[in-house]
Amino acid sequence: MLLGFDIGGTKCAVVLGTLDATGQLMVTATTTVATDKPAYEMIRYLFAVAEELLAKKQLAIDVVEGIGISCGGPLSSKKGLILSPPNLPGWDNIPIVQMAEERFNKKAFLQNDANACAVAEWKYGAGKGYNNLIFLTFGTGMGAGLILDGKLYSGISDLAGEVGHLRLSDTGPVGFGKSGSFEGYCSGGGIAQLGQMKAREKIQMGEPVSFCSGIADLVNITAKSVAEAAMAGDPVAIEVYTICAKQLGRGLALLIDILNPELIILGSIYGRSKSLLEPVMMEVIQGEAIRDSVKVCKIVPAGLAENIGNMAALSLALMSKEK
């Protein structure tokens, strides 16, 4: 039995799972809650949710063999600290591993969510059989997990793959504390910002926008509402996703040129909005990246789809047994 915590800027999940006789990781129970409390209060609440989940399954904590904690970076897996992630304001130097080990008396392992998802996809999802791949979260934020020569590469201080911090233009939507960043353009928050900007332009010129009723409604725009409008043919929403797709292509072209991967796996938003993003993204990649590198690189949605966060947390729980 394995216990996992998937901590995100919007929501968190508590997951129970097992490794079956064939070596397949299986999710057996999960509870999702909103990330709506200060750091320490939120963590204690998640621990309580885990205890409730075990109790519902009539399981004692003694049967749990490992605890995995997946969270957006920056963080230090070596020290077990969450270090001020941009999508978790106030989560500064949080000793979450120590807290988990003291609460449950079990080994716990913390890792960047992108790295955790990369491992999960590599072992159980779209990355099976590949030795050189990049996984990009493309959700609330934008981070990358790198599997290079058959190993997870996290860098000297666990900060490899923080591609959301790359600046793609001098100005633009803000992500990872930087305007015009990869995360600013290619994340849920970034798409919402682009939607708000474009909707404001049209509304001020007296033009209707299907996904926004007026200036007061700008704050309610989300990546999902813009995507739904784009799918329905709204030209403003389509323009937003075209901008996102162009910058996604530029960001991926840089990664292809630098790392020459066999496979790039795109999570969350890409899986749900592939038809809006892929054509323009591929056109930019073809024009920007080294041709021979593009030829050998496949770009696919996450194979674990919406289950990837759960599987990532459980993958870390399995790794905790080796620490």
Side-chain angles (χ1 to χ4, degrees):
M1 184 63 63
L2 303 165
L3 173 60
F5 297 94
D6 178 27
I7 299 174
T10 305
K11 60 183 179 3
C12 298
V14 180
V15 194
L16 291 178
T18 59
L19 193 69
D20 69 16
T22 67
Q24 181 60 39
L25 203 54
M26 305 291 291
V27 175
T28 58
T30 181
T31 299
T32 302
V33 297
T35 311
D36 58 1
K37 298 175 178 62
Y40 287 97
E41 184 182 348
M42 190 72 210
I43 291 166
R44 286 191 290 268
Y45 176 58
L46 291 174
F47 291 168
V49 170
E51 290 164 347
E52 289 174 10
L53 202 57
L54 286 164
K56 284 180 183 176
K57 289 286 183 178
Q58 297 183 316
L59 297 169
I61 189 63
D62 292 348
V63 302
V64 172
E65 296 186 45
I67 298 172
I69 305 167
S70 171
C71 182
L75 53 77
S76 171
S77 63
K78 296 178 180 69
K79 295 179 180 178
L81 297 173
I82 297 174
L83 305 171
S84 307
N87 293 311
L88 288 167
W91 290 56
D92 306 321
N93 298 306
I94 306 297
I96 193 167
V97 167
Q98 179 185 338
M99 293 173 70
E101 291 181 345
E102 288 177 354
R103 178 76 168 249
F104 298 108
N105 197 29
K106 298 286 179 179
K107 290 289 290 182
F109 181 46
L110 170 69
Q111 187 55 270
N112 181 298
D113 60 350
N115 289 348
C117 289
V119 170
E121 282 288 337
W122 176 39
K123 293 190 174 182
Y124 308 107
K128 287 181 73 172
Y130 291 86
N131 286 320
N132 291 277
L133 65 88
I134 303 170
F135 172 83
L136 291 104
T137 55
F138 201 0
T140 303
M142 171 60 87
L146 310 174
I147 305 295
L148 304 178
D149 290 336
K151 296 177 183 177
L152 174 66
Y153 179 76
S154 56
I156 193 65
S157 55
D158 279 334
L159 292 173
E162 293 290 0
V163 299
H165 200 245
L166 296 174
R167 193 186 296 280
L168 299 181
S169 67
D170 289 339
T171 60
V174 178
F176 213 138
K178 184 182 284 186
S179 61
S181 65
F182 198 178
E183 184 167 301
Y185 282 107
C186 301
S187 66
I191 292 170
Q193 288 179 63
L194 285 169
Q196 290 162 1
M197 291 163 59
K198 291 299 174 182
R200 184 184 293 274
E201 288 176 6
K202 298 299 181 181
I203 291 167
Q204 288 184 351
M205 296 304 293
E207 299 176 34
V209 178
S210 70
F211 58 90
C212 183
S213 60
I215 295 296
D217 193 33
L218 289 171
V219 295
N220 297 318
I221 292 174
T222 64
K224 182 181 178 182
S225 67
V226 179
E228 289 171 347
M231 294 286 191
D234 183 282
V236 182
I238 291 171
E239 183 183 359
V240 168
Y241 268 84
T242 299
I243 294 169
C244 175
K246 285 180 179 177
Q247 298 294 359
L248 180 61
R250 288 174 182 168
L252 295 185
L254 290 172
L255 297 178
I256 290 168
D257 282 351
I258 294 168
L259 295 173
N260 188 205
E262 302 169 84
L263 182 70
I264 295 176
I265 304 171
L266 296 169
S268 295
I269 291 171
Y270 187 76
R272 296 191 292 268
S273 306
K274 182 182 175 184
S275 63
L276 297 173
L277 296 165
E278 184 180 47
V280 174
M281 175 194 80
M282 289 306 305
E283 182 181 350
V284 173
I285 289 171
Q286 294 287 350
E288 291 285 330
I290 296 170
R291 188 171 301 172
D292 288 342
S293 293
V294 174
K295 285 180 182 178
V296 298
C297 180
K298 290 175 62 180
I299 301 174
V300 299
L304 299 174
E306 299 303 321
N307 201 32
I308 188 167
N310 295 336
M311 292 290 285
L314 292 179
S315 296
L316 297 181
L318 198 58
M319 292 170 71
S320 75
K321 296 171 63 179
E322 305 164 5
K323 295 296 172 183

